Amino acid sequence: MRKDRSLGNVIIARERLEAWIEAGWIAPGVATGKEPGLSEMDIARAQLICDLKDDLGVNDEGVEVILELLDQLYGLRCAMREMMESVVRRTEG
Amino acid sequence: MAIDPYQVLGVSKTASQEEIQKAYRKLAKKLHPDLNPGNKKAEEKFKDIGTAYDILGDPEKRARFDRGEIDATGAERPQRRYYREYADAGPQSAGAYSSDGGFADFADAGDVFADLFGRGARGRRNVRMRGGDISYRLEIEFLDAVNGAVQQLHMPDGSEIKVTIPAGTRDGQILRLKGKGQPGFNEGPPGDALIEIAVRPHPIFTRKGDDIHSELAISLGDAVLGGKVETPTTTGRVALTIPKGANTGTVLRLKGMGVPRQEGTRGDHLVTLKVMLPEHPDPELEKFVASWSGRNARPRQPAGS
């Protein structure tokens, strides 16, 4: 069941990917605005989902919660970085 | 570099496959780089435990490793790009998945955050923002808390601010000094200084709610015959009338001499009496008590004993 990582990239079964897209865990094309097709970011996200499910033993419900919280975490990090940059700009000039 | 995979996962050479998986999962949950976006070291460590698990997680590879047919280097994991590299790259790429669900409720700062985070709304230079609050702790004397006082507080930047302690301040109360916190950004208002008050105990007085409690030692004579005795209060000494027949444990209430309340009234001061025999045995007293007809009467037991 474990994916073979020695090849340097993850092999994810098509059915799995399709199920994840169906569930809204991965949204191809949204990040780039280009036509559907997996971006590097989408693949990295799929890889993360593989890690959660296969290696860490998280079930589907758990994956959903983790993704939701991670999206919030990265959103916060993004907002915080912006804010700190604006503070730095403010103090410098 | 070959590191002992058993050591990396923290398991013994005789560990079962199940134990190995358990150990790996425990570490992986803690170290997965995507779950630790702010931890730069996580990636390297996660790779190490992954390499170790690639060998030990597979009974066949593990057996070959144990026999010395393969070493840990052979299984080293290739470089991989983690999700965090994209999600953390900045708003233009994070926009797809990242959510503002973690802070959309910051009502006051909402506009600020909306501006900062708003998709495509990059041109916000004149964001005004209130400065942060700063917390301090100030230890004050018991009587200053009860009666009120003005104290100097030394700020970290070397300046001083005057803190007015209102009469009746409680231990743990937080005083807010408007505008004494961090300066605002872009003409935003400054934050507040929040000062947590710690009240030092007093050798005589204790406080319960708005009442002050203290003990007062009285002589046998005052206890038996009654009399006037001076007692300390939080506002100075007052003469206290001891009723005839007062006993240890008798509580006298000094109405309105306790802690000031905001609406102008005050709690009470409760004085608990403690009858003290003369410091040295007194032959006259001994003689009297020996001839005293009530000397063998059993004292009333306090309730509950």
Side-chain angles (χ1 to χ4, degrees), chain B residues 16 38 67 86 95 137 156 174 187 203 215 220 234 249 262:
Chain B
S16 66
R67 288 195 299 268
Y86 303 96
R137 200 182 125 92
I174 291 171
E187 271 98 61
E215 265 191 356
L220 185 61
T234 53
Q262 271 190 336

Side-chain angles (χ1 to χ4, degrees), chain A residues 2 5 27 31 40-42 44-45 47 51 55-57 70-72 74 76-77 81-82 89-90, chain B residues 24-25 28 32 34 37 54 77-78 80 83-84 86 88 93 96-99 102-103 122 124-125 186:
Chain A
R2 295 187 64 245
R5 250 175 292 224
E40 283 185 348
M41 186 185 192
D42 296 326
R45 190 171 167 99
Q47 214 166 337
D51 287 350
D55 289 354
L56 303 188
L70 277 181
D71 290 345
Q72 291 188 25
Y74 284 107
L76 267 170
R77 280 178 65 81
R81 190 177 299 114
E82 288 271 337
R89 270 200 302 277
R90 167 84 190 135
Chain B
Y24 170 72
R25 282 188 171 174
H32 196 294
D34 290 339
D54 277 347
R77 291 188 169 194
R80 152 179 176 188
Y83 176 68
R84 69 173 181 182
Y86 303 96
D88 232 359
S93 80
Y97 292 112
S98 68
S99 117
F103 56 86
R122 300 288 108 213
R124 53 342 141 246
R125 287 284 172 266
N186 250 353

Side-chain angles (χ1 to χ4, degrees), chain B residues 188-207:
Chain B
D192 300 338
L194 303 176
I195 299 163
E196 188 186 344
I197 299 294
V199 179
R200 291 198 191 101
H202 192 274
I204 301 171
F205 306 122
T206 54
R207 176 173 173 174

Side-chain angles (χ1 to χ4, degrees), chain B residues 67-114:
Chain B
R67 288 195 299 268
E69 291 171 17
I70 52 171
D71 65 12
T73 10
E76 222 161 71
R77 291 188 169 194
Q79 280 295 330
R80 152 179 176 188
R81 294 206 69 182
Y82 284 97
Y83 176 68
R84 69 173 181 182
E85 293 177 51
Y86 303 96
D88 232 359
Q92 57 284 355
S93 80
Y97 292 112
S98 68
S99 117
D100 63 358
F103 56 86
D105 62 332
F106 290 1
D108 282 358
D111 289 347
V112 177
F113 272 87

